[in-house]
Structures are given as structure tokens and as C-alpha cells.
Amino acid sequence: MVPIAIAVLALVMSAAPPDPLAASDVAWTSPSRDEHGSMPIGNGDLAANVWMTADGTLWMFLAKSDA
């Protein structure tokens, strides 16, 4: 009985906890109609909005965050 309990405990302890931010992940699965469907990216100093239209064109709006 004890070896089974230890095995179950080891299995439970080894399982990774669920990622609390995973529910907030954003995924684009279709092209945007225009810039209103863009993905904002940046690092705090530089900013960019990126989107792709249905014809396959990749658009990017670049900006300096202190401008």
C-alpha cells in the first residue's frame, strides 16, 4: 500500500502546474481586413503594429514611444 501511495504522490508532484496566463494568449488565425486588426508589438522604447491583409501583404507601422 505504501509503495503505491509514494508512486501516486511522485506522479502528482511531478506534474507541471497549469500556466495561469495561457488563457490570455492571443492567436491570429486569419488575415486582418485593415490596420484595426493589427497586433501591437514593441519593447517599451520602440512600438509597432503589424497586420497582414487577405492578399498576403505584410504591413507594419513603426513608432518611437517617446515621439
Side-chain angles (χ1 to χ4, degrees):
M1 182 74 172
V2 174
I4 294 173
I6 292 173
V8 170
L9 183 60
L11 182 63
V12 169
M13 296 293 285
S14 68
D19 182 8
L21 297 178
S24 301
D25 287 348
V26 177
W28 270 253
T29 58
S30 63
S32 174
R33 288 183 293 147
D34 54 24
E35 68 278 1
H36 294 104
S38 66
M39 174 67 173
I41 60 173
N43 65 359
D45 187 33
L46 298 174
N49 279 51
V50 182
W51 67 97
M52 182 173 278
T53 55
D55 65 358
T57 304
L58 178 65
W59 292 88
M60 182 180 284
F61 176 79
L62 299 172
K64 181 89 166 117
S65 62
D66 62 353

